[in-house]
Amino acid sequence: MSFRDFPLYLMETLKCWSSLHEYIFVFMFLITVSKGSACEAPSTPECFRRNTECSGRNAEECSVYICEWSMNTTDSDVTFDLRFDKKKFRSNKKTCELTEEQLITSRSVNISVKAHVGNSSCSSTRRSVTLMHTVKYIAPQNISMSWLKNNLNLSWPAAEKRPALAEIWFRRDEHPTESWEKRTTNTTSDNVMYHVIVVSLLKDSAFQVQIRHRSTEALNPLWSDWSPVVTVPAELEQKPEVNMTTRLLNGTREVTLTWKPMPRAAAVRGVTYSLEDTQSSNGCPCEKNRHPINKTKHTIYVSLSAVNISVIARNAAGYSPPEIRQVAAEPAADLKICDKTLLHEKLNDKTCLEWYELQDGDSRPENVNTLTAGMKKKKRKQIRMNITDYVRYLYFEHRCDGGRPQTVKMCLFYQKEGVPLREPQDFRTFSETHTSANLSWKAIPSVDQRGFLTHYSLCSVKISSQDEPKECRNISASLTKHRLENLTPGAKYNISLVGVTRVGQGPEATVTISTSPENPVNVWWSLGLLLLFFFITTMGTCILKRIKNKIFPPVPTPVIPDFSPYQAECQEFLERKEEVEEVHELTLHQFPESKSVPEDAEETTVLTGEWDDGTDEDVENERGDSRMSGGTSDECVSPGSTDEALRSSGEGEMTDLEQVDNEIAMLIYKNGLVFDVKTDSP
């Protein structure tokens, strides 16, 4: 009967037993049998050493052999017997360490293990092995990782100097149910670390990785245990997006930095940030050990000098490119010349000196000199020797006040001054007139000034006259424009401009100008404008009078007969005669009394250009006769007797007109107008 069929047999037997004692006996027997059947055979043991090199620091390790096995049991009182052929070694663990003297290592031996659980025991299968040829490395530990494009570089401490064979399992972290992908490759060794590169991975994804390795030199290498599963975050490719705000606080500045979180795949194992500023790194006071920052906001305090602040994100796979924010030196409204510096004085622990070459447009120079009390004497001397003559420096004195760096002095200094190397730049003139000219220039670059400019010297001399003295004037060093006045019209001038320091003058910039001569057209313009003014005034007066007459017409005065002397009437008649002489044409028509005159012929219109030759001659003869008779030249007719005057002037030629009955029609055509004059016979 087999052991499996034994419980069934007992149950059938119990049906036949009826006494209580028999039940108790059977129960105790079952307990004893169950204890004996709980022993499960352990696995075949593996005995090995940790490395193949037995020289130097590995010599002691090579003499130690480790045997390992496994067994599925929860009992705590299990003991094991490890057998090497006929030798037996007792152990309470599932491992045993033995020295080389206790074993046979040079030839093959049979090894096995026997487990004792209570009153039962069970043995593993036997294995034949040569111990000195069997090597098993420890499992990879402290795995570091980094990305190189789409290739993952894995590193861990080397088991020995010689390369090993590694097996890597990996899968994407966001898909943990995926099957493992396996790759086997040889490692490279730098005597300290093993390195392998897993190619063609997506660097913007996170991965789970585990590694094991084995020797490539041993005759019987064993795979090491698997390393713990490590998560490889995605690469930090982008810089942190940093925003910065600055607030001035009594000689110090509060700088608040905020930035956006990194992508989720890059932050799978957490992301930390590190901040560094150039002042602390150079040893200025209030230097603090900045611990990794887990938040996305941080506030630091800096002095008034130029500072660079860098923010770097770090994860298990590497770090991001640094985001550098520049905090320019706090602009001073009026930088003064240093009256005294502490460059050659003994400093206390809370004082820091900082200076750098001041160049045009520099927000943060490259070469910053820092001097602190903690520096060695030799280094302080070397820093002082680096100060160059004729170079302008911006000087700061910083102190630590309440844990914050504070700037207590800010000024400019030269170790030694000289004259400028260059002249003012782009010296030119514009908007010249006959008595003045405008000048402009650019300041001498600070690197070429070699000293503090006290002023500019501007000189002018007339070219046409050799005896003309040179006129010079001083202009403020802060100006770049000047208006030159009181020049002679139509003259040529040489203008020179030079920068002046406390040591002397530098090269001069020159320009030649020609003033325009006085233009007589301007005088005529003035006269014309004056006449125009009087004309407009006169016309305005006339227009106003006309408007006044239109609105308020004058009251007519009664006509009083004027019995002036004969000469006045004669004069008036002569004027009337001149007007009559301007008449273009004159026609007199006679209407007989016996004939009736139609109403439409009462007025007659005479057009020029349709006269007969005979009529013209008659008119001219009549005018000539009247002149010969002297009627119009020697005699004057009063204005009240117009008809009589006309009769007397043509007395000899107008005999036919005496037949006109009670009406004379006289038409006068003057300057293109027809005047119809009707008079009644007396």
Side-chain angles (χ1 to χ4, degrees):
M1 182 179 63
S2 65
F3 180 76
R4 291 182 178 179
D5 297 334
F6 184 72
L8 182 60
Y9 172 76
L10 288 177
M11 294 299 294
E12 292 177 354
T13 304
L14 287 174
K15 294 179 181 179
C16 302
W17 294 353
S18 58
S19 65
L20 179 62
H21 296 285
E22 292 175 348
Y23 279 108
I24 294 173
F25 175 77
V26 173
F27 181 74
M28 295 299 293
F29 178 76
L30 288 174
I31 293 174
T32 303
V33 172
S34 64
K35 286 185 177 181
S37 64
C39 182
E40 182 179 347
S43 63
T44 305
E46 289 183 341
C47 295
F48 52 85
R49 58 181 181 178
R50 289 298 187 187
N51 49 52
T52 59
E53 298 176 352
C54 296
S55 61
R57 63 183 179 87
N58 295 329
E60 185 176 353
E61 295 180 359
C62 283
S63 63
V64 178
Y65 285 84
I66 301 172
C67 295
E68 296 176 343
W69 60 89
S70 62
M71 181 179 177
N72 187 14
T73 181
T74 58
D75 292 332
S76 59
D77 59 346
V78 181
T79 59
F80 301 94
D81 289 335
L82 182 62
R83 296 180 179 272
F84 287 87
D85 286 344
K86 295 181 180 180
K87 288 186 177 182
K88 182 173 66 174
F89 301 93
R90 177 62 60 92
S91 175
N92 296 325
K93 301 177 182 179
K94 299 175 185 179
T95 181
C96 182
E97 288 188 8
L98 302 171
T99 60
E100 188 176 8
E101 290 79 8
Q102 296 174 295
L103 302 172
I104 300 173
T105 60
S106 58
R107 64 177 177 86
S108 175
V109 294
N110 293 323
I111 59 174
S112 63
V113 63
K114 185 176 182 179
H116 300 278
V117 182
N119 295 328
S120 64
S121 61
C122 47
S123 299
S124 68
T125 58
R126 292 183 178 182
R127 173 181 295 177
S128 179
V129 63
T130 303
L131 295 179
M132 65 178 302
H133 295 159
T134 306
V135 176
K136 181 180 179 180
Y137 292 153
I138 61 174
Q141 303 291 330
N142 302 323
I143 300 174
S144 60
M145 56 211 72
S146 62
W147 288 98
L148 181 62
K149 295 184 178 179
N150 286 327
N151 301 328
L152 178 61
N153 183 16
L154 300 172
S155 303
W156 62 92
E160 54 186 355
K161 294 181 180 179
R162 297 177 181 179
L165 182 67
E167 184 177 4
I168 301 100
W169 287 14
F170 58 90
R171 63 186 176 189
R172 288 187 296 176
D173 183 68
E174 57 266 26
H175 300 287
T177 58
E178 287 183 349
S179 60
W180 294 92
E181 185 176 349
K182 305 174 184 178
R183 293 189 187 180
T184 303
T185 181
N186 288 322
T187 67
T188 59
S189 176
D190 56 4
N191 299 332
V192 179
M193 303 289 290
Y194 282 154
H195 305 279
V196 295
I197 297 177
V198 184
V199 299
S200 301
L201 297 181
L202 298 175
K203 62 181 179 180
D204 56 352
S205 298
F207 288 87
Q208 293 180 356
V209 176
Q210 58 179 353
I211 307 171
R212 65 177 183 174
H213 58 176
R214 72 181 186 186
S215 172
T216 57
E217 298 293 329
L219 296 178
N220 183 28
L222 302 177
W223 281 109
S224 70
D225 296 332
W226 285 103
S227 68
V229 177
V230 295
T231 303
V232 180
E235 184 180 13
L236 291 168
E237 296 185 277
Q238 298 180 350
K239 301 178 181 179
E241 298 181 18
V242 180
N243 294 322
M244 181 178 67
T245 59
T246 305
R247 188 166 61 122
L248 184 63
L249 299 172
N250 190 23
T252 187
R253 289 178 291 182
E254 180 186 77
V255 181
T256 302
L257 303 167
T258 58
W259 53 87
K260 294 182 179 180
M262 293 292 105
R264 179 184 175 277
V268 66
R269 289 180 60 181
V271 177
T272 60
Y273 303 89
S274 61
L275 271 70
E276 294 183 359
D277 65 273
T278 50
Q279 285 185 343
S280 298
S281 60
N282 290 333
C284 271
C286 303
E287 179 183 3
K288 297 179 180 179
N289 295 324
R290 305 194 187 279
H291 300 287
I293 302 169
N294 297 322
K295 300 179 180 179
T296 57
K297 181 178 180 180
H298 190 69
T299 300
I300 64 173
Y301 296 89
V302 298
S303 65
L304 301 187
S305 62
V307 183
N308 284 353
I309 301 175
S310 62
V311 181
I312 301 175
R314 299 178 183 271
N315 63 10
Y319 51 88
S320 69
E323 171 66 9
I324 299 176
R325 301 307 302 267
Q326 293 185 346
V327 184
E330 190 67 24
D334 187 13
L335 280 175
K336 297 181 180 179
I337 301 173
C338 298
D339 54 351
K340 183 181 179 181
T341 64
L342 300 179
L343 294 174
H344 301 281
E345 303 291 335
K346 186 177 180 180
L347 303 178
N348 57 39
D349 294 337
K350 292 187 177 181
T351 302
C352 168
L353 304 183
E354 188 177 16
W355 68 95
Y356 49 81
E357 183 178 347
L358 184 63
Q359 297 181 359
D360 297 331
D362 278 359
S363 58
R364 172 65 188 175
E366 295 295 333
N367 187 17
V368 179
N369 302 285
T370 305
L371 200 63
T372 61
M375 290 183 177
K376 295 182 179 180
K377 185 177 180 180
K378 185 177 180 180
K379 186 176 181 180
R380 291 200 302 268
K381 184 178 180 181
Q382 182 65 34
I383 292 175
R384 292 189 185 103
M385 290 178 62
N386 291 334
I387 302 176
T388 309
D389 293 341
Y390 313 123
V391 173
R392 180 183 298 182
Y393 291 97
L394 183 57
Y395 172 84
F396 299 90
E397 287 182 14
H398 308 308
R399 292 180 184 174
C400 188
D401 183 14
R404 301 176 182 178
Q406 184 181 33
T407 301
V408 296
K409 192 170 186 178
M410 180 178 178
C411 56
L412 301 172
F413 81 93
Y414 280 90
Q415 180 170 265
K416 185 178 180 180
E417 291 190 62
V419 298
L421 287 179
R422 298 178 66 182
E423 68 279 1
Q425 303 298 297
D426 296 339
F427 185 44
R428 62 187 183 90
T429 64
F430 61 95
S431 302
E432 295 93 345
T433 65
H434 60 284
T435 58
S436 65
N438 290 324
L439 306 173
S440 68
W441 62 92
K442 292 182 180 178
I444 303 173
S446 59
V447 68
D448 297 321
Q449 291 183 12
R450 292 165 47 99
F452 295 110
L453 286 181
T454 57
H455 61 276
Y456 289 105
S457 178
L458 179 66
C459 297
S460 61
V461 61
K462 191 186 298 185
I463 298 177
S464 59
S465 176
Q466 297 181 354
D467 299 333
E468 190 75 20
K470 180 184 289 188
E471 295 183 3
C472 295
R473 66 202 71 188
N474 294 336
I475 301 174
S476 173
S478 61
L479 297 179
T480 56
K481 289 183 180 180
H482 183 72
R483 182 175 178 82
L484 195 61
E485 297 181 339
N486 300 326
L487 302 178
T488 304
K492 253 188 178 183
Y493 286 88
N494 275 337
I495 311 297
S496 63
L497 183 69
V498 61
V500 183
T501 65
R502 289 184 288 191
V503 178
Q505 296 184 353
E508 63 179 18
T510 59
V511 68
T512 302
I513 63 172
S514 298
T515 57
S516 57
E518 287 185 342
N519 194 351
V521 175
N522 296 334
V523 179
W524 288 109
W525 270 107
S526 301
L527 183 59
L529 291 175
L530 184 62
L531 293 176
L532 180 62
F533 173 74
F534 283 113
F535 175 75
I536 293 174
T537 304
T538 305
M539 290 297 296
T541 304
C542 294
I543 292 172
L544 289 175
K545 286 184 177 181
R546 280 181 167 272
I547 294 174
K548 181 179 178 182
N549 292 335
K550 289 287 185 181
I551 299 175
F552 305 104
V555 179
T557 57
V559 179
I560 300 174
D562 189 6
F563 297 98
S564 58
Y566 176 79
Q567 288 78 7
E569 294 178 356
C570 182
Q571 182 67 25
E572 184 179 355
F573 179 76
L574 291 177
E575 293 176 358
R576 181 71 173 270
K577 179 183 177 182
E578 290 176 358
E579 294 181 0
V580 173
E581 288 178 354
E582 294 178 2
V583 175
H584 291 265
E585 300 295 339
L586 176 64
T587 304
L588 298 177
H589 296 273
Q590 179 180 352
F591 299 94
E593 184 179 1
S594 60
K595 294 181 181 180
S596 62
V597 180
E599 293 180 0
D600 56 333
E602 190 175 34
E603 294 179 5
T604 305
T605 302
V606 181
L607 299 177
T608 60
E610 298 180 0
W611 303 96
D612 294 334
D613 294 339
T615 307
D616 293 339
E617 290 177 1
D618 293 339
V619 173
E620 290 295 328
N621 291 332
E622 290 174 0
R623 290 178 181 175
D625 293 340
S626 64
R627 293 190 195 101
M628 292 298 296
S629 62
T632 59
S633 61
D634 297 330
E635 296 178 2
C636 293
V637 183
S638 64
S641 57
T642 304
D643 296 333
E644 293 180 0
L646 291 175
R647 292 190 194 97
S648 60
S649 62
E651 188 175 312
E653 292 80 12
M654 297 178 62
T655 56
D656 295 333
L657 296 177
E658 294 176 355
Q659 303 296 326
V660 177
D661 184 34
N662 297 327
E663 184 177 6
I664 296 176
M666 183 174 64
L667 300 177
I668 300 173
Y669 182 79
K670 180 181 180 181
N671 295 333
L673 299 176
V674 178
F675 296 86
D676 189 3
V677 180
K678 294 181 181 181
T679 59
D680 296 332
S681 299

